[in-house]
Amino acid sequence: MKNLSFLLFASILFSNAINAQLKAVKYTDGSQALNGLFIKSAKKSSQNPGILLLPAWLGIDKASKDIAENLSKLGYNVFIADIYGEGNYPTNTAEAGKQAGYYKKNYEIYQKRIDAALKELVKSGANADNIVAIGYCFGGTGVLEAARGHLNLKGVVSFHGGLGKDVSRPVQPISTKVLVCHGADDPFESKEEITAFQQEMRDSKADWQMIYYANAVHSFTNPEAGNDNSKGAAYNAVAAKRSFEHLQLFLNEVLKK
């Protein structure tokens, strides 16, 4: 009987381990082929909370995969979006800058590409009305565009993302809750852009928060960014830990589990 119980317990553990693996998902946006990754929640829930993850400008990387796996263990279904698509993946920062710049300028195309990934997350099992989008750097810009574009999201969380918006674009109400995690010493966001973003949040009547992390610059959540703040982008373990804790508080507030 003890052996049977042990085998049953082991099979459950093995099953959970199998289910909690990143799996490739092929999907499309119009004629563009895309390759995302999905990982199922390691915990069962009738609410099926979901997280759409938008990676940084180089595309799906180790950092985004690690974050997705950690969030799965906490009870979330996670889909990592492919923004660029087959044939367009950057191989260096110059190419990444060009690609990211295109989507930042053509924000409606960016919103549509994000929505395509959101639909895949729902197809994969997440509750369509119980989803938060999170993004890093370029992806952080993307989640703010998702909020501006009124995608069906309970909240968005931007980590060291671009905050700027063309001043000619009208400010519209934002119903999605917004959390911005920002390096206090990030050289890529000017005081003017930060002030304009905060005013946009006020004018849009958004429920928003912006948290600053001391001694942190751009990319402070990415261990592969090095540790030299003078370069403008560097990992900060303390800021990364604190921002992940703030993310969990936000998720606990806005999503049903």
Side-chain angles (χ1 to χ4, degrees):
M1 188 66 179
K2 288 184 178 179
N3 288 339
L4 180 60
S5 297
F6 175 79
L7 289 173
L8 179 61
F9 179 67
S11 68
I12 292 173
L13 288 179
F14 180 75
S15 176
N16 287 341
I18 291 297
N19 289 335
Q21 296 290 321
L22 283 163
K23 297 179 181 179
V25 178
K26 288 187 172 293
Y27 63 114
T28 60
D29 177 17
S31 60
Q32 177 63 61
L34 302 163
N35 297 288
L37 291 173
F38 173 74
I39 185 166
K40 186 176 182 180
S41 168
K43 301 178 181 180
K44 289 186 177 181
S45 167
S46 60
Q47 302 297 333
N48 292 322
I51 295 178
L52 177 63
L53 194 160
L54 307 186
W57 67 345
L58 285 170
I60 298 175
D61 55 7
K62 183 179 184 301
S64 58
K65 292 176 184 177
D66 289 345
I67 292 163
E69 290 174 348
N70 287 334
L71 290 170
S72 167
K73 294 173 185 176
L74 294 175
Y76 301 99
N77 299 288
V78 186
F79 189 88
I80 308 177
D82 175 13
I83 298 301
Y84 303 134
E86 288 184 12
N88 303 305
Y89 300 126
T91 58
N92 53 55
T93 56
E95 292 178 1
K98 183 177 180 180
Q99 288 275 21
Y102 170 80
Y103 286 96
K104 289 178 182 179
K105 182 178 180 180
N106 298 279
Y107 65 91
E108 291 178 327
I109 295 176
Y110 197 7
Q111 291 169 348
K112 184 172 179 287
R113 188 60 53 87
I114 295 167
D115 193 44
L118 180 59
K119 287 181 171 63
E120 290 303 316
L121 173 57
V122 174
K123 288 180 185 177
S124 297
N127 182 339
D129 298 315
N130 198 28
I131 294 174
V132 161
I134 68 174
Y136 298 79
C137 300
F138 170 54
T141 302
V143 298
L144 295 178
E145 287 300 346
R148 292 172 179 136
H150 309 292
L151 273 62
N152 186 26
L153 297 164
K154 290 298 183 183
V156 300
V157 184
S158 174
F159 295 86
H160 40 83
L163 308 176
K165 177 177 73 69
D166 191 324
V167 295
S168 67
R169 292 170 61 184
V171 175
Q172 298 180 342
I174 291 178
S175 58
T176 302
K177 294 184 178 181
V178 177
L179 169 61
V180 173
C181 298
H182 187 69
D185 299 327
D186 189 333
F188 298 112
E189 289 298 314
S190 67
K191 292 180 180 179
E192 292 76 17
E193 283 182 324
I194 292 172
T195 298
F197 169 76
Q198 293 179 352
Q199 190 59 51
E200 177 196 358
M201 292 296 101
R202 295 184 181 96
D203 293 341
S204 65
K205 309 299 181 185
D207 179 348
W208 68 286
Q209 307 170 61
M210 186 167 182
I211 302 174
Y212 291 80
Y213 301 97
N215 306 313
V217 292
H218 201 64
S219 300
F220 63 81
T221 64
N222 189 348
E224 297 182 352
N227 57 11
D228 185 354
N229 277 18
S230 69
K231 294 182 178 180
Y235 178 61
N236 183 305
V238 173
K241 178 177 180 293
R242 288 175 176 171
S243 64
F244 192 75
E245 289 171 349
H246 288 136
L247 168 63
Q248 291 179 75
L249 288 172
F250 184 82
L251 294 175
N252 289 336
E253 176 187 335
V254 304
L255 293 182
K256 297 177 181 178
K257 291 183 74 176

